[in-house]
């Protein structure tokens, strides 16, 4: 079977990529500054396993929230199941989704860079506009994630099979519902990351 069109673009992959880019920006900035306790951070830039281990030890709440997002059954498994039998390409919202995904990653990188340069957790409130920018960019990305053309093609494949059509429609509704809730999950991830990073020991 050839590659199929997905009804929903891959929000989970975009969140993972944006967070990784943001964390690496934080680690680079801290490492370059030579601030106390920053030396180990340089080693995390090129090793996802080392970064994940470091996060579990130093950012346990963020690590838990991020893992829950990345393992979300509706955003991952159900989304993956909503795929047409053939790939047509040229979906109407691909360009818009790509643009919003880039804006989301850019906002995350700017947030983490500002976290690296924020002197104390007492200045945490200064990050509120940056977190709001991340949340807004994520919202725009999720709004552009659904491809109505792919959904229509998937439903057309199920014509004559009432049970399959009902399954598709139920799965689509489940993913839509999770995308609505993911907006709040996104804010919690980055607000928690800011709080935990700003409270790391400086020595």
């Amino acid at each position: 079977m050839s590659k199929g069109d997905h009804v929903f673009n891959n929000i989970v992959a975009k969140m993972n990529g944006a967070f990784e880019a943001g964390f690496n920006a934080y680690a680079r900035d801290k490492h370059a500054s030579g601030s106390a306790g920053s030396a180990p951070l340089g080693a995390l830039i090129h090793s996802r396993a080392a970064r994940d281990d470091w996060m579990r030890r130093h950012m346990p709440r963020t690590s838990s929230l991020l893992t829950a997002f990345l393992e979300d059954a509706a955003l991952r498994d159900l989304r993956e199941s909503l795929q047409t039998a053939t790939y047509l390409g040229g979906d109407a919202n691909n360009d818009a989704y790509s643009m919003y995904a880039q804006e989301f990653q850019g906002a995350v990188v700017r947030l983490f860079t500002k976290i690296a340069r924020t002197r104390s957790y007492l200045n945490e409130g200064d990050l509120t506009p940056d977190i709001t920018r991340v949340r807004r960019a994520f919202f725009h990305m999720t709004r552009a994630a659904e491809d109505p053309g792919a959904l229509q093609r998937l439903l057309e494949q199920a014509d004559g099979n009432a049970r399959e059509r009902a399954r598709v429609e139920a799965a689509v509704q489940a993913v839509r519902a999770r995308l609505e809730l993911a907006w709040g999950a996104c804010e919690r991830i980055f607000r928690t990351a800011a709080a935990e990073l700003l409270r790391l020991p400086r020595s």
Side-chain angles (χ1 to χ4, degrees):
M1 181 182 295
S2 59
K3 176 182 177 183
D5 291 317
H6 284 90
V7 174
F8 295 93
N9 283 291
N10 197 338
I11 294 292
V12 169
K14 294 301 183 187
M15 169 63 82
N16 192 43
F19 191 94
E20 183 171 334
F23 185 90
N24 286 346
Y26 170 87
R28 285 191 190 95
D29 198 278
K30 280 291 193 183
H31 184 65
S33 72
S35 57
S38 67
L41 290 173
L44 305 182
I45 296 170
H46 304 293
S47 172
R48 177 176 295 180
R51 183 202 71 203
D52 290 346
D53 181 65
W54 188 92
M55 282 184 58
R56 281 190 292 269
R57 287 184 286 115
H58 298 285
M59 303 171 65
R61 291 167 54 219
T62 304
S63 180
S64 178
L65 289 170
L66 184 61
T67 298
F69 187 99
L70 299 181
E71 295 180 353
D72 186 289
L75 293 179
R76 187 189 62 186
D77 301 332
L78 276 180
R79 175 256 170 202
E80 185 67 22
S81 74
L82 295 171
Q83 186 178 22
T84 62
T86 57
Y87 177 71
L88 299 182
D91 299 331
N93 67 356
N94 276 357
D95 290 343
Y97 177 76
S98 295
M99 178 187 72
Y100 288 128
Q102 290 172 14
E103 290 181 358
F104 172 60
Q105 181 162 314
V108 171
V109 169
R110 286 193 295 274
L111 169 63
F112 272 91
T113 300
K114 191 165 181 180
I115 293 171
R117 298 174 185 179
T118 299
R119 298 181 63 84
S120 166
Y121 70 88
L122 297 174
N123 305 104
E124 194 172 336
D126 296 344
L127 299 171
T128 297
D130 300 272
I131 293 171
T132 299
R133 191 175 297 111
V134 167
R135 182 184 65 191
R136 186 182 301 117
F138 181 83
F139 175 73
H140 290 157
M141 183 176 69
T142 60
R143 296 286 287 182
E146 183 176 349
D147 179 1
L151 175 58
Q152 183 59 36
R153 290 191 292 276
L154 190 60
L155 291 174
E156 288 171 357
Q157 288 176 194
D159 278 351
N161 188 335
R163 179 176 294 179
E164 176 61 14
R165 188 179 180 96
R167 183 199 69 79
V168 169
E169 290 174 343
V172 167
Q173 289 303 320
V175 176
R176 285 174 180 162
R178 280 303 298 150
L179 284 172
E180 290 292 324
L181 294 174
W183 186 66
C186 170
E187 180 173 4
R188 285 192 295 275
I189 287 169
F190 292 103
R191 194 172 292 281
T192 303
E196 290 190 308
L197 287 172
L198 290 175
R199 284 161 176 77
L200 289 175
R202 293 185 173 273
S203 57

